[in-house]
Amino acid sequence: MGAVAATLGILSRLRRSAKAPKQRLVRPRAPYPGDYEGRVSLEYQPHLDGAPDPGEIVWTWVPFEEDHSMGKDRPVLLIGRDGNWLLGLMLTSKDHDHDARHRERWLDIGTGPWDAKRRPSEVRLDRIIRIDPGAVRREGAVVPRSTFDEVSRSLFRIHNW
């Protein structure tokens, strides 16, 4: 029994050490000016060229709503621009449909390669985040035009644009 446990322990350590190193979180270069409050000129211009573009889901640093000096790495759907900043909507795999208080704020967009586990995702509609293009860690996927159009219609409805 002891030899089997020792072997399993060695295999477990080898698996952990063989994992790819965690990528470093890139924080924005400029101070966060706050969430975007205006009307967005929505763009669908995805180009998988290594540069983040509206219509793509990217992984980046997202400031916490209650304290912009703190945040975490998460997927974001890019929807437009504000000067040098990109504008985006954060995604979650948490289901908000069961909670009527949050149902209007979230839109199901399905699954895609931005989530390694292919979990269904929802996009948050009532918070538009400014993204420093230099803080984007990686491009995750291009959303289909039909999905982007559905997000656009929902944004117009929720923001009364």
Side-chain angles (χ1 to χ4, degrees), residues 77-159:
L77 170 60
L78 300 178
I79 59 169
R81 301 174 195 282
D82 176 34
N84 293 330
W85 296 89
L86 291 162
L87 299 175
L89 306 172
M90 65 182 188
L91 272 68
T92 185
S93 58
K94 182 178 177 186
D95 185 16
H96 291 88
D97 287 345
H98 65 281
D99 188 343
R101 294 174 300 151
H102 299 294
R103 195 171 295 132
E104 284 296 310
R105 295 174 29 182
W106 296 90
L107 176 68
D108 292 324
I109 62 166
T111 62
W114 58 85
D115 185 290
K117 295 180 182 175
R118 302 294 264 191
R119 295 171 292 192
S121 293
E122 295 183 0
V123 65
R124 183 172 174 182
L125 299 168
D126 66 336
R127 182 177 183 217
I128 301 171
I129 303 161
R130 287 183 172 99
I131 305 294
D132 179 343
V136 171
R137 184 169 56 83
R138 71 175 172 90
E139 293 176 87
V142 172
V143 296
R145 179 65 196 234
S146 59
T147 301
F148 190 86
D149 290 345
E150 184 178 3
V151 170
S152 298
R153 285 189 297 276
S154 297
L155 280 168
F156 274 86
R157 184 179 79 293
I158 196 169
H159 291 281

